[in-house]
């Protein structure tokens, strides 16, 4: 925990004054504003270049505060909150009067979570309210997992940056819609579908699009400057060679099964065997290949179970509609 108590107090003061604070969570760094201040929330959209119809997540200090922000807390939502909060789970519920429409993209639903990071929780406690916070980066680009990523991308547009060290999870929270009779996953993330199903005692569908707009469902998202091309694992080396021969500066995500295989590429990242390690490093890998000047990234999708589902989701969004699989 790099932030001092005085830093947390100053950040809380910035929020009360309508300013923007970059705060660490266990998933990624967020760009936070007072969730009840429409003007401050509007500034989040302006700084990010985010469409105003794209909802934000309201971060609160504990499960006991959920009822303050939503219209109703059904039994399923209460069970998930008790099981996974603080943690990388966001629940979509009916908006309470305390949440302005500016924070929900005009929707009557609101996304809420309790982050599992000591600095974020200290800030929420000191501030005493909710913090509306998307990831602290330009809309559609790679999410930040260190304070330096935030400073490099947003610079002076952020009024205060709280440094809580590298993010432990590395990909955004899982979003679950609990507004209807049947819960569903709207965005895979740091809490796995398998863990959710074990608590609920039922299978959960995963939707790439839904009637409820939520963060992370834009066709192109989490994207580096380089174009991302997705291929089968066994085709990664051949695809990289062809692209390199065509004049691209190619970056490669080399899957574990091909560890040690020579690759004709400008830069190579060896993907970890552990999905937890891969998730933690994913955005850092993409940023590093951008830093090295790659204009094309060749990658394959991991097995879509556990955190592999979240990683595959991020790579698909990074590739966007132009992807090949």
């Amino acid at each position: 925990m790099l932030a001092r108590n005085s830093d947390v107090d100053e950040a809380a003061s910035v929020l009360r004054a309508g300013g923007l604070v970059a705060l660490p969570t266990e998933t990624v760094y967020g760009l936070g504003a007072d969730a009840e201040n429409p003007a401050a929330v509007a500034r989040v959209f302006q700084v990010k270049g985010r469409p105003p119809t794209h909802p934000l997540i309201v971060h609160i200090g504990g499960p006991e505060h959920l009822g303050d922000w939503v219209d109703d807390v059904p039994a399923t939502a209460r069970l998930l909150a008790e099981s996974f909060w603080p943690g990388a789970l966001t629940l979509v519920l009916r908006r309470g009067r305390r949440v302005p429409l500016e924070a929900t993209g005009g929707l009557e639903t609101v996304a809420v979570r309790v982050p599992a990071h000591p600095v974020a929780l200290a800030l929420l406690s000191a501030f005493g309210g909710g913090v509306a916070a998307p990831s602290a980066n330009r809309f559609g680009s790679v999410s930040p997992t260190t304070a330096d990523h935030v400073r490099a991308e947003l610079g002076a547009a952020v009024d205060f940056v709280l440094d809580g060290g590298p993010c432990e999870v590395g990909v955004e929270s899982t979003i679950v819609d609990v507004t209807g009779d049947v819960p569903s996953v709207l965005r895979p993330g740091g809490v796995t579908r398998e863990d959710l199903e074990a608590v609920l005692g039922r299978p959960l569908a995963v939707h790439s699009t839904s009637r409820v707009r939520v963060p992370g469902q834009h066709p192109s998202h989490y994207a580096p400057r380089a174009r991302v091309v997705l291929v089968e694992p066994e085709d990664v080396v051949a695809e990289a060679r062809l692209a390199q021969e065509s004049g691209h500066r190619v970056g490669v995500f080399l899957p574990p099964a091909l560890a040690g295989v020579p690759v004709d590429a400008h830069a190579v990242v060896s993907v970890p065997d552990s999905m937890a390690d891969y998730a933690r490093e994913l955005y850092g890998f993409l940023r590093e290949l951008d830093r090295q000047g790659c204009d094309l990234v060749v990658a394959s999708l991991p097995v879509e179970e556990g955190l592999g589902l979240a990683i595959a989701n991020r790579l698909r969004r990074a590739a966007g509609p132009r992807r090949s699989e």
Side-chain angles (χ1 to χ4, degrees):
M1 180 171 172
L2 300 181
R4 300 163 298 183
N5 290 338
S6 58
D7 295 329
V8 171
D9 290 340
E10 183 174 352
S13 296
V14 169
L15 290 173
R16 292 189 196 100
L20 302 187
V21 172
L23 65 151
T25 76
E26 77 281 21
T27 57
V28 300
Y29 273 72
L31 180 62
D34 178 355
E36 297 178 82
N37 183 333
V41 169
R43 190 168 159 225
V44 171
F45 288 93
Q46 179 186 9
V47 167
K48 281 182 63 72
R50 183 185 182 96
T53 56
H54 208 61
L56 307 182
I57 294 174
V58 176
H59 295 70
I60 61 177
E64 67 275 14
H65 301 303
L66 180 58
D68 298 338
W69 298 92
V70 302
D71 183 56
D72 179 55
V73 184
T76 298
R78 195 171 301 280
L79 174 61
L80 291 173
E82 291 171 352
S83 301
F84 295 104
W85 282 356
L89 176 68
T90 294
L91 300 178
V92 176
L93 292 150
R94 299 295 176 189
R95 178 181 71 94
R97 292 182 180 179
R98 196 169 177 179
V99 184
L101 288 171
E102 285 83 356
T104 68
L107 300 177
E108 289 299 332
T109 54
V110 60
V112 185
R113 90 172 180 105
V114 179
H117 193 293
V119 175
L121 291 172
L123 174 61
L124 288 163
S125 176
F127 176 55
V131 174
S135 55
N137 55 283
R138 303 293 179 189
F139 181 70
S141 66
V142 179
S143 300
T145 54
T146 69
D148 284 343
H149 292 164
V150 178
R151 296 185 184 104
E153 187 158 353
L154 298 182
V158 182
D159 299 310
F160 196 85
V161 178
L162 270 177
D163 191 341
C167 298
E168 182 64 25
V169 175
V171 293
E172 292 80 359
S173 60
T174 302
I175 300 179
V176 177
D177 180 7
V178 285
T179 59
D181 295 332
V182 180
S184 60
V185 176
L186 304 185
R187 180 180 71 183
V191 172
T192 68
R193 175 175 58 181
E194 292 85 350
D195 286 343
L196 292 167
E197 291 174 340
V199 166
L200 294 175
R202 63 186 301 169
L204 284 178
V206 179
H207 300 295
S208 58
T209 59
S210 70
R211 61 181 176 81
V212 179
R213 294 194 305 274
V214 296
Q217 287 191 331
H218 194 269
S220 180
H221 219 81
Y222 317 113
R225 291 190 299 274
R227 182 165 68 95
V228 177
V229 175
L230 301 179
V231 299
E232 295 298 325
E234 61 272 19
D235 296 330
V236 166
V237 173
E239 182 73 20
R241 183 183 67 252
L242 288 173
Q244 191 80 4
E245 290 173 352
S246 298
H248 288 286
R249 291 169 65 88
V250 179
V252 175
F253 275 26
L254 193 65
L258 299 179
V261 173
V263 185
D264 184 10
H266 179 69
V268 177
V269 166
S270 294
V271 172
D273 281 312
S274 161
M275 287 297 100
D277 290 342
Y278 191 4
R280 188 179 304 113
E281 299 293 338
L282 174 63
Y283 293 145
F285 289 158
L286 290 171
R287 286 177 178 273
E288 176 60 20
L289 293 182
D290 269 348
R291 191 191 67 80
Q292 294 198 36
C294 297
D295 62 20
L296 187 144
V297 174
V298 178
S300 61
L301 300 178
V303 175
E304 297 186 44
E305 57 187 33
L307 282 173
L309 180 62
I311 296 166
N313 170 270
R314 301 314 189 270
L315 287 172
R316 283 196 176 96
R317 298 289 180 179
R322 61 199 172 189
R323 69 176 182 266
S324 61
E325 294 180 43

